Amino acid sequence: MNRTRAVVGDRRPPSRGDQQRGRIIDAVVDLLETTSIAELSVTSIARQAGVGRQAFYFYFESKYAVVAAALEQVWTELDTATAELADYDFQEPPAPFTIRMIDDAVVVWERHGALLNACLQARPSDPQLSDLWDTFLANLSGKLATFIATLRDNGHAAPATVDTPALTHALVGLTVWTLTEKWALAEKSTAPQPLSAERLMDATRAIWIASMWGDSR
């Protein structure tokens, strides 16, 4: 699912030789490991990137535009991680295939966990981030709904409901919640927890398999 999406406030779209632009995005990602989006400043981003404020504003009109550009890169990675949905041929059994697709997406999420969790917290205050987030989740849910509906119509799957768009939206939402909880549990790793992060992920995988495949797995 290759898409070109414009990021508002990104004054110079990426080009092959644009190292400064890349350093600015990397600086924001690094800073979000310890700083919220609200606490970021253009000065701290420019300092972390090793560029001047003038160079920052050459590429981006605000810190939010940089965060949106970083988020767009993550969505591209997640698109790639789920690309095999388009040509699944049953050479791999349904349950292992589903688990692998989920786990490939989880790897991307965890690689960018600080950025994604910061964006989740900032969504209510930033319409552009909210729009990017909602658009991506809608596109991912749509891709999954098409995949499940095709399998169902060919007699290869028995999903939990005929309303596949609602089913995939619910499954994606569940997975985002699980990953957010997993991140929160990691942040509180010294305190005793009633449920481990891996138990939550195991339950999420099981719900995906049962909901998508039914007795066809």
Side-chain angles (χ1 to χ4, degrees), residues 29-51:
V29 172
D30 290 343
L31 288 168
L32 287 175
E33 294 282 349
T34 56
T35 308
S36 70
I37 293 175
E39 295 170 328
L40 283 180
S41 68
V42 170
T43 298
S44 65
I45 296 168
R47 184 185 304 117
Q48 179 78 11
V51 303

Side-chain angles (χ1 to χ4, degrees), residues 1-5 76 79-80:
M1 181 164 55
N2 295 319
R3 299 184 301 277
T4 301
R5 295 184 288 258
T76 300
D79 269 349
T80 301

Side-chain angles (χ1 to χ4, degrees), residues 100-153:
R100 185 166 60 80
M101 288 292 95
I102 293 169
D103 289 349
D104 286 350
V106 168
V107 167
V108 175
W109 180 287
E110 292 184 337
R111 185 160 58 239
H112 303 285
L115 169 66
L116 293 170
N117 282 279
C119 289
L120 269 173
Q121 294 173 17
R123 279 179 70 202
S125 60
D126 188 328
Q128 184 181 0
L129 285 179
S130 181
D131 181 63
L132 275 174
W133 191 279
D134 292 345
T135 298
F136 174 77
L137 292 187
N139 286 331
L140 177 58
S141 296
K143 179 164 69 170
L144 289 164
T146 299
F147 171 68
I148 295 172
T150 299
L151 293 172
R152 179 199 63 207
D153 294 344

Side-chain angles (χ1 to χ4, degrees), residues 165-201:
L167 175 63
T168 55
H169 193 83
L171 289 171
V172 169
L174 168 66
T175 308
V176 170
W177 176 86
T178 302
L179 290 168
T180 304
E181 284 295 294
K182 189 176 180 183
W183 179 268
L185 289 171
E187 293 289 293
K188 300 183 291 186
S189 58
T190 57
Q193 303 297 329
L195 286 173
S196 69
E198 197 48 49
R199 283 178 66 190
L200 289 174
M201 278 307 308

